[in-house]
Structures are given as structure tokens and as C-alpha cells.
Amino acid sequence: MKNFYFFILTFVALCNSAIGQTTIPIYDNVLFYDGYAGLVNEPTAPDVVRLRNDLFTKKLTPEILAQIGSTLNLSISISAACDNYDRIGNINLAMVPKGALSYDLATTERIELGRFITPFMNKNVAPNLVPYSFTVNNITKILKDSYLNSIYDFWIEFELFGVPYAANTQIAGCSGRNDVFYGTLNFETNVDVTIPNNTFVLPLNFKKDLNNYADGASDEIGFTQRTITFELPSQINNAKFYLITSNHGANAGGEEYNRRWHYITFDDTQILVYKPGETTCEPYRVYNTQGNGIYGSTPRSAAQWQSFSNWCPGAVIPIRQMTLGNLTAGTHVFTIAVPDAVFAGNQGYIPVSLYLQGENTVLNVPIFIPLDFECYPNPTKDFIAVNANSTIETIQLCDAQGRVLVTQKGSTSQANISMANYSNGVYFLKVVSEKGERTKKIVKE
């Protein structure tokens, strides 16, 4: 069976070559490990960096970028090691300041290019390879833009979270192992194409969980809605949003098996309404070779699949494109709402990724990235550490009534606020930088 799949992949590669396409290897059979475990000390290819057990990164060299034309397809293959459950994987683009040898995940601008779900796979049962494909032609404009290349290096991340605990006892040969999946990524592109140098891109939300029960996961506890406000430095033409969402967290509650309407609003106008899920998951049954999955022993009807399935194990998650036309300079507001989501027992989450892309009306306009920061631990007992995506000018700790308790000036993107002398309760942390200001709630316990 493996020889058959190798033949198919070779045949496709030959066909692509015949019609003026080229294949660029990015990751070759990299091995992912238990996402909950400490970082493994296993070798990688010289140009591949393991950031976490579930995350690799690789800088795109000038030689790779030179091969990319105006079309781009992400060709992915995943095979099971010792994980036999459905897991979330994704390909990301990290926009790293030019010349940096490494980068911080918390403060680097990142875009999710594509998301997929692994099938329930038994590594001992064929087929043990599942293919995925994403067409992301718009990304070529980012990768080829001369101004963006002058301020950024582009790194491609390959992310796939897995855990081996069930397979350790359910899959022959997996006892005691902590490797979970193998992954390969190739770029497929055309050649010798000129692309204009006028691309604008604005990362807005990278895999941030949306739910109605966790602090910071929505606009307000009890409501499944997130509002994203951003500023445009100049008019942007032919603008488009690119959105990826998927519902997760089944167990006794969650939203993994509940199809809910999603409402997208931009500048007070509803621009998209959708309910996730495919017509049927039967085309992916062949890849679900482990009997612990949702497929069962006999085919389901389309109506049965539509009654509960938000996505199919073994399939890609749609990239939803919203055409906006020309956008004026100034403030704009994006909102995603899933009002019927329940999250029973405070379980489940909807990872949301969003970015805006268009054409600059003025060349070499700096990309405006709104202020964002992480504060942890939260809840806390002694202190709050702050890690922002820009240099902090001031940071204030306020009580629940809004009274300022501490004002601290900054000179870097990081800061620490002592909480040891304050009573338990709710507080607010306000951070100001050149990219704006933002306030987040923290809890002292």
C-alpha cells in the first residue's frame, strides 16, 4: 500500500512539472512528540528548529523564496506514530524581524495559513498516510513583496499536537513510546511570475480560543463573542479577511459535536454567516483505521453526519475569505459571534485565526500591529509578568473600582508587577505602548 501512495505522489509531481510547476521540500518526515511532555532532545535537520514537541520552524531562504511564483499550494502528509486520536495540526507563517536568529512566539506576528484534523489512525493498519492540501495563492504576494522582505524574514511553522497515552495501551508496538506523528510539507508553485510590490498584511488574531467561560476568551464572560478593533495607517485597496475557526472539546460537554451558526460583522455590517461542517465525512473513512473514532463500523448518511459533525477527522478546515473592497484609513471593527454555543461544564473552545490582506495605496507603509500582551500567572499569588509585542511605555495596576494602585514606566517589552501586598480579588492591568493601549483583568488569590 505504501508503494501505491509513493507512485501516486510521484505521478502528481511529474504532472506538475509538465505544466510549469515546481515542488519545494520544506519539512521531510519530521517526528512530533507528546505535546504535554518536556522538550525532547532528538536531532532535527540542520535548518529545522524544534520549538516545542508539537512545533517546528524553518526560515525560508532567499533560494526558496526565489522559486515561488504567483501560486502556492501547501501539500501535507501525516502518518501515525503512537497517537490514534483526532488532533489539530496547522501550518503557520511567522514574520520575524530581519536578521534575527530566533524569535519569541509570544511577541512575533504569526499567521495561520491552514488547519487540518488528523484521523483516528492505527500505525499498523494501511493506509498509514493521509494527505492534505491548501491553496494559499494570496500568501505569495506576502513572500515576494520587496518591502516586506526588507523588514522581515519569513519562517514556516509546522504544528501538530498529539499525545500517546491511549496508543500506549491500544496500539501494538507503542508501549512506553512518546512519539505521536510524522509530518511532511512541500510547497507547490508555478515559476517565472512577476508579482507587484504593494502588499499590505495585518495579523489580527492567531489561534486565540473563543468561549464563554474563560477570562479573556471573549468580550465578556457568558457571551461567545470577540471584537477586534484595529487601525489602518492609509487606505487599503482590494482588502480581504482570511478566517479559520473550528469547534473543539467534546468530553461530557463542549462544542465539538454541536453545529452552531457563526456570525461575522465588520464595521457594523454583517458580512458572513456560516455553520461549520461538511456534507458528509464518508470520503475520509478510509484513513480512520482505529476503531476508537467517531466513524463506527458502517457508513452514516449525510443527514447523520450533519446532525453532529463540525469537521471530519482526516480533513482540512476551510479558510473563509471575505472580500471587503477598498478600506479607508482609520479605525475598523471586526466581530465574530457564536451566540448559541453552550460549552457545557465549562468545556470546549473555538480557536480563531484572522488576518487582513490587501494592496497599499502608498508604497512602504509600515504595517500597523495593534498592542497585545500576555500576563501570567493569572490567577496569581505574588506577581504578574507582562510580555508585550512592543516596548512598554507605561503599565498601571488598578483595582476593581478603577483606582490606580501602581504606575510603572517601561523601556522593554517585558515587565513585572508585584501583587504580594494586595488582598485577593479582581484587578486590571493597563499597558500603554506606541501601538496603543490595552487593559486585561487579573485575579489575585
PDB file of all heavy atoms in Angstrom, residues 271-294:
ATOM      1  N   ILE A 271     -21.217  40.466   7.368  1.00  0.00           N
ATOM      2  CA  ILE A 271     -20.605  40.123   6.081  1.00  0.00           C
ATOM      3  C   ILE A 271     -20.536  38.624   5.838  1.00  0.00           C
ATOM      4  O   ILE A 271     -20.250  38.199   4.719  1.00  0.00           O
ATOM      5  CB  ILE A 271     -19.191  40.736   5.954  1.00  0.00           C
ATOM      6  CG1 ILE A 271     -18.270  40.231   7.079  1.00  0.00           C
ATOM      7  CG2 ILE A 271     -19.256  42.257   5.946  1.00  0.00           C
ATOM      8  CD1 ILE A 271     -16.817  40.668   6.906  1.00  0.00           C
ATOM      9  N   LEU A 272     -20.781  37.802   6.863  1.00  0.00           N
ATOM     10  CA  LEU A 272     -20.720  36.348   6.673  1.00  0.00           C
ATOM     11  C   LEU A 272     -21.495  35.662   7.782  1.00  0.00           C
ATOM     12  O   LEU A 272     -21.415  36.053   8.950  1.00  0.00           O
ATOM     13  CB  LEU A 272     -19.264  35.864   6.686  1.00  0.00           C
ATOM     14  CG  LEU A 272     -19.028  34.354   6.504  1.00  0.00           C
ATOM     15  CD1 LEU A 272     -19.487  33.891   5.131  1.00  0.00           C
ATOM     16  CD2 LEU A 272     -17.553  33.999   6.724  1.00  0.00           C
ATOM     17  N   VAL A 273     -22.257  34.635   7.392  1.00  0.00           N
ATOM     18  CA  VAL A 273     -22.927  33.754   8.341  1.00  0.00           C
ATOM     19  C   VAL A 273     -22.640  32.326   7.883  1.00  0.00           C
ATOM     20  O   VAL A 273     -22.854  31.998   6.714  1.00  0.00           O
ATOM     21  CB  VAL A 273     -24.445  33.998   8.393  1.00  0.00           C
ATOM     22  CG1 VAL A 273     -25.101  33.022   9.371  1.00  0.00           C
ATOM     23  CG2 VAL A 273     -24.744  35.436   8.800  1.00  0.00           C
ATOM     24  N   TYR A 274     -22.169  31.474   8.784  1.00  0.00           N
ATOM     25  CA  TYR A 274     -21.876  30.103   8.383  1.00  0.00           C
ATOM     26  C   TYR A 274     -22.043  29.160   9.570  1.00  0.00           C
ATOM     27  O   TYR A 274     -21.974  29.559  10.734  1.00  0.00           O
ATOM     28  CB  TYR A 274     -20.460  29.976   7.807  1.00  0.00           C
ATOM     29  CG  TYR A 274     -19.340  30.231   8.793  1.00  0.00           C
ATOM     30  CD1 TYR A 274     -18.726  29.189   9.476  1.00  0.00           C
ATOM     31  CD2 TYR A 274     -18.866  31.530   9.019  1.00  0.00           C
ATOM     32  CE1 TYR A 274     -17.690  29.419  10.365  1.00  0.00           C
ATOM     33  CE2 TYR A 274     -17.839  31.771   9.905  1.00  0.00           C
ATOM     34  CZ  TYR A 274     -17.250  30.718  10.577  1.00  0.00           C
ATOM     35  OH  TYR A 274     -16.225  30.956  11.458  1.00  0.00           O
ATOM     36  N   LYS A 275     -22.285  27.909   9.239  1.00  0.00           N
ATOM     37  CA  LYS A 275     -22.342  26.834  10.219  1.00  0.00           C
ATOM     38  C   LYS A 275     -21.300  25.794   9.812  1.00  0.00           C
ATOM     39  O   LYS A 275     -21.405  25.199   8.749  1.00  0.00           O
ATOM     40  CB  LYS A 275     -23.737  26.210  10.262  1.00  0.00           C
ATOM     41  CG  LYS A 275     -23.905  25.134  11.332  1.00  0.00           C
ATOM     42  CD  LYS A 275     -25.293  24.535  11.302  1.00  0.00           C
ATOM     43  CE  LYS A 275     -26.351  25.496  11.830  1.00  0.00           C
ATOM     44  NZ  LYS A 275     -27.691  24.831  11.962  1.00  0.00           N
ATOM     45  N   PRO A 276     -20.262  25.574  10.634  1.00  0.00           N
ATOM     46  CA  PRO A 276     -19.179  24.657  10.238  1.00  0.00           C
ATOM     47  C   PRO A 276     -19.668  23.232  10.009  1.00  0.00           C
ATOM     48  O   PRO A 276     -20.689  22.810  10.561  1.00  0.00           O
ATOM     49  CB  PRO A 276     -18.225  24.719  11.434  1.00  0.00           C
ATOM     50  CG  PRO A 276     -18.556  25.995  12.136  1.00  0.00           C
ATOM     51  CD  PRO A 276     -20.022  26.195  11.933  1.00  0.00           C
ATOM     52  N   GLY A 277     -18.917  22.498   9.205  1.00  0.00           N
ATOM     53  CA  GLY A 277     -19.208  21.089   8.981  1.00  0.00           C
ATOM     54  C   GLY A 277     -19.380  20.760   7.518  1.00  0.00           C
ATOM     55  O   GLY A 277     -19.893  21.563   6.738  1.00  0.00           O
ATOM     56  N   GLU A 278     -18.917  19.571   7.130  1.00  0.00           N
ATOM     57  CA  GLU A 278     -19.050  19.120   5.748  1.00  0.00           C
ATOM     58  C   GLU A 278     -20.363  18.369   5.554  1.00  0.00           C
ATOM     59  O   GLU A 278     -21.015  17.956   6.518  1.00  0.00           O
ATOM     60  CB  GLU A 278     -17.871  18.227   5.381  1.00  0.00           C
ATOM     61  CG  GLU A 278     -16.523  18.944   5.440  1.00  0.00           C
ATOM     62  CD  GLU A 278     -15.431  18.173   4.735  1.00  0.00           C
ATOM     63  OE1 GLU A 278     -15.739  17.408   3.794  1.00  0.00           O
ATOM     64  OE2 GLU A 278     -14.258  18.340   5.120  1.00  0.00           O
ATOM     65  N   THR A 279     -20.723  18.181   4.301  1.00  0.00           N
ATOM     66  CA  THR A 279     -21.948  17.447   3.984  1.00  0.00           C
ATOM     67  C   THR A 279     -21.882  16.019   4.513  1.00  0.00           C
ATOM     68  O   THR A 279     -22.841  15.493   5.076  1.00  0.00           O
ATOM     69  CB  THR A 279     -22.184  17.436   2.468  1.00  0.00           C
ATOM     70  OG1 THR A 279     -22.272  18.788   2.004  1.00  0.00           O
ATOM     71  CG2 THR A 279     -23.461  16.702   2.129  1.00  0.00           C
ATOM     72  N   THR A 280     -20.719  15.397   4.362  1.00  0.00           N
ATOM     73  CA  THR A 280     -20.515  14.029   4.847  1.00  0.00           C
ATOM     74  C   THR A 280     -19.032  13.814   5.122  1.00  0.00           C
ATOM     75  O   THR A 280     -18.170  14.425   4.471  1.00  0.00           O
ATOM     76  CB  THR A 280     -20.994  12.990   3.824  1.00  0.00           C
ATOM     77  OG1 THR A 280     -20.664  11.676   4.297  1.00  0.00           O
ATOM     78  CG2 THR A 280     -20.354  13.199   2.460  1.00  0.00           C
ATOM     79  N   CYS A 281     -18.730  12.949   6.069  1.00  0.00           N
ATOM     80  CA  CYS A 281     -17.346  12.598   6.379  1.00  0.00           C
ATOM     81  C   CYS A 281     -16.923  11.269   5.764  1.00  0.00           C
ATOM     82  O   CYS A 281     -15.792  10.812   5.987  1.00  0.00           O
ATOM     83  CB  CYS A 281     -17.145  12.547   7.894  1.00  0.00           C
ATOM     84  SG  CYS A 281     -17.237  14.149   8.728  1.00  0.00           S
ATOM     85  N   GLU A 282     -17.797  10.634   5.007  1.00  0.00           N
ATOM     86  CA  GLU A 282     -17.501   9.309   4.458  1.00  0.00           C
ATOM     87  C   GLU A 282     -16.243   9.260   3.591  1.00  0.00           C
ATOM     88  O   GLU A 282     -15.527   8.251   3.603  1.00  0.00           O
ATOM     89  CB  GLU A 282     -18.706   8.762   3.700  1.00  0.00           C
ATOM     90  CG  GLU A 282     -19.857   8.352   4.585  1.00  0.00           C
ATOM     91  CD  GLU A 282     -19.467   7.299   5.615  1.00  0.00           C
ATOM     92  OE1 GLU A 282     -18.695   6.376   5.275  1.00  0.00           O
ATOM     93  OE2 GLU A 282     -19.924   7.397   6.768  1.00  0.00           O
ATOM     94  N   PRO A 283     -15.914  10.301   2.801  1.00  0.00           N
ATOM     95  CA  PRO A 283     -14.687  10.212   1.990  1.00  0.00           C
ATOM     96  C   PRO A 283     -13.417  10.011   2.811  1.00  0.00           C
ATOM     97  O   PRO A 283     -12.405   9.562   2.261  1.00  0.00           O
ATOM     98  CB  PRO A 283     -14.658  11.561   1.259  1.00  0.00           C
ATOM     99  CG  PRO A 283     -16.086  11.994   1.202  1.00  0.00           C
ATOM    100  CD  PRO A 283     -16.677  11.525   2.497  1.00  0.00           C
ATOM    101  N   TYR A 284     -13.458  10.308   4.117  1.00  0.00           N
ATOM    102  CA  TYR A 284     -12.267  10.203   4.948  1.00  0.00           C
ATOM    103  C   TYR A 284     -12.270   8.929   5.793  1.00  0.00           C
ATOM    104  O   TYR A 284     -11.341   8.704   6.568  1.00  0.00           O
ATOM    105  CB  TYR A 284     -12.157  11.434   5.857  1.00  0.00           C
ATOM    106  CG  TYR A 284     -12.336  12.729   5.096  1.00  0.00           C
ATOM    107  CD1 TYR A 284     -13.554  13.414   5.128  1.00  0.00           C
ATOM    108  CD2 TYR A 284     -11.311  13.254   4.323  1.00  0.00           C
ATOM    109  CE1 TYR A 284     -13.739  14.583   4.416  1.00  0.00           C
ATOM    110  CE2 TYR A 284     -11.488  14.429   3.603  1.00  0.00           C
ATOM    111  CZ  TYR A 284     -12.708  15.086   3.648  1.00  0.00           C
ATOM    112  OH  TYR A 284     -12.890  16.240   2.934  1.00  0.00           O
ATOM    113  N   ARG A 285     -13.286   8.118   5.630  1.00  0.00           N
ATOM    114  CA  ARG A 285     -13.379   6.891   6.422  1.00  0.00           C
ATOM    115  C   ARG A 285     -12.153   5.999   6.225  1.00  0.00           C
ATOM    116  O   ARG A 285     -11.669   5.353   7.165  1.00  0.00           O
ATOM    117  CB  ARG A 285     -14.652   6.132   6.056  1.00  0.00           C
ATOM    118  CG  ARG A 285     -14.801   4.802   6.778  1.00  0.00           C
ATOM    119  CD  ARG A 285     -16.084   4.090   6.382  1.00  0.00           C
ATOM    120  NE  ARG A 285     -17.257   4.772   6.905  1.00  0.00           N
ATOM    121  CZ  ARG A 285     -17.763   4.584   8.112  1.00  0.00           C
ATOM    122  NH1 ARG A 285     -17.180   3.712   8.943  1.00  0.00           N
ATOM    123  NH2 ARG A 285     -18.833   5.235   8.522  1.00  0.00           N
ATOM    124  N   VAL A 286     -11.637   5.944   4.995  1.00  0.00           N
ATOM    125  CA  VAL A 286     -10.531   5.043   4.686  1.00  0.00           C
ATOM    126  C   VAL A 286      -9.306   5.321   5.554  1.00  0.00           C
ATOM    127  O   VAL A 286      -8.528   4.421   5.856  1.00  0.00           O
ATOM    128  CB  VAL A 286     -10.157   5.153   3.184  1.00  0.00           C
ATOM    129  CG1 VAL A 286      -9.670   6.543   2.828  1.00  0.00           C
ATOM    130  CG2 VAL A 286      -9.104   4.120   2.814  1.00  0.00           C
ATOM    131  N   TYR A 287      -9.122   6.583   5.986  1.00  0.00           N
ATOM    132  CA  TYR A 287      -7.951   6.940   6.778  1.00  0.00           C
ATOM    133  C   TYR A 287      -8.156   6.679   8.268  1.00  0.00           C
ATOM    134  O   TYR A 287      -7.191   6.693   9.032  1.00  0.00           O
ATOM    135  CB  TYR A 287      -7.599   8.418   6.571  1.00  0.00           C
ATOM    136  CG  TYR A 287      -7.341   8.767   5.130  1.00  0.00           C
ATOM    137  CD1 TYR A 287      -8.191   9.618   4.436  1.00  0.00           C
ATOM    138  CD2 TYR A 287      -6.245   8.237   4.449  1.00  0.00           C
ATOM    139  CE1 TYR A 287      -7.969   9.939   3.120  1.00  0.00           C
ATOM    140  CE2 TYR A 287      -6.009   8.548   3.121  1.00  0.00           C
ATOM    141  CZ  TYR A 287      -6.878   9.400   2.457  1.00  0.00           C
ATOM    142  OH  TYR A 287      -6.656   9.717   1.144  1.00  0.00           O
ATOM    143  N   ASN A 288      -9.392   6.477   8.688  1.00  0.00           N
ATOM    144  CA  ASN A 288      -9.698   6.260  10.099  1.00  0.00           C
ATOM    145  C   ASN A 288      -9.632   4.768  10.401  1.00  0.00           C
ATOM    146  O   ASN A 288     -10.651   4.066  10.440  1.00  0.00           O
ATOM    147  CB  ASN A 288     -11.059   6.856  10.431  1.00  0.00           C
ATOM    148  CG  ASN A 288     -11.022   8.367  10.502  1.00  0.00           C
ATOM    149  OD1 ASN A 288     -10.918   8.945  11.585  1.00  0.00           O
ATOM    150  ND2 ASN A 288     -11.099   9.013   9.348  1.00  0.00           N
ATOM    151  N   THR A 289      -8.416   4.282  10.596  1.00  0.00           N
ATOM    152  CA  THR A 289      -8.161   2.844  10.705  1.00  0.00           C
ATOM    153  C   THR A 289      -8.201   2.334  12.143  1.00  0.00           C
ATOM    154  O   THR A 289      -8.003   1.143  12.367  1.00  0.00           O
ATOM    155  CB  THR A 289      -6.790   2.527  10.095  1.00  0.00           C
ATOM    156  OG1 THR A 289      -5.783   3.327  10.745  1.00  0.00           O
ATOM    157  CG2 THR A 289      -6.774   2.815   8.609  1.00  0.00           C
ATOM    158  N   GLN A 290      -8.438   3.228  13.105  1.00  0.00           N
ATOM    159  CA  GLN A 290      -8.516   2.820  14.505  1.00  0.00           C
ATOM    160  C   GLN A 290      -9.970   2.881  14.969  1.00  0.00           C
ATOM    161  O   GLN A 290     -10.652   3.891  14.780  1.00  0.00           O
ATOM    162  CB  GLN A 290      -7.642   3.734  15.372  1.00  0.00           C
ATOM    163  CG  GLN A 290      -7.780   3.518  16.871  1.00  0.00           C
ATOM    164  CD  GLN A 290      -7.243   2.170  17.324  1.00  0.00           C
ATOM    165  OE1 GLN A 290      -6.538   1.500  16.584  1.00  0.00           O
ATOM    166  NE2 GLN A 290      -7.585   1.763  18.539  1.00  0.00           N
ATOM    167  N   GLY A 291     -10.437   1.810  15.581  1.00  0.00           N
ATOM    168  CA  GLY A 291     -11.847   1.687  15.907  1.00  0.00           C
ATOM    169  C   GLY A 291     -12.343   2.542  17.045  1.00  0.00           C
ATOM    170  O   GLY A 291     -13.510   2.450  17.420  1.00  0.00           O
ATOM    171  N   ASN A 292     -11.487   3.391  17.647  1.00  0.00           N
ATOM    172  CA  ASN A 292     -11.945   4.212  18.763  1.00  0.00           C
ATOM    173  C   ASN A 292     -12.528   5.550  18.296  1.00  0.00           C
ATOM    174  O   ASN A 292     -12.826   6.415  19.118  1.00  0.00           O
ATOM    175  CB  ASN A 292     -10.793   4.493  19.734  1.00  0.00           C
ATOM    176  CG  ASN A 292      -9.661   5.281  19.060  1.00  0.00           C
ATOM    177  OD1 ASN A 292      -9.515   5.251  17.845  1.00  0.00           O
ATOM    178  ND2 ASN A 292      -8.871   5.969  19.847  1.00  0.00           N
ATOM    179  N   GLY A 293     -12.692   5.734  16.991  1.00  0.00           N
ATOM    180  CA  GLY A 293     -13.131   7.016  16.472  1.00  0.00           C
ATOM    181  C   GLY A 293     -14.627   7.180  16.378  1.00  0.00           C
ATOM    182  O   GLY A 293     -15.399   6.398  16.919  1.00  0.00           O
ATOM    183  N   ILE A 294     -15.057   8.206  15.647  1.00  0.00           N
ATOM    184  CA  ILE A 294     -16.474   8.539  15.547  1.00  0.00           C
ATOM    185  C   ILE A 294     -17.143   7.872  14.354  1.00  0.00           C
ATOM    186  O   ILE A 294     -18.342   8.048  14.153  1.00  0.00           O
ATOM    187  CB  ILE A 294     -16.672  10.071  15.449  1.00  0.00           C
ATOM    188  CG1 ILE A 294     -16.074  10.612  14.142  1.00  0.00           C
ATOM    189  CG2 ILE A 294     -16.058  10.762  16.659  1.00  0.00           C
ATOM    190  CD1 ILE A 294     -16.369  12.078  13.901  1.00  0.00           C
TER     191      ILE A 294
END
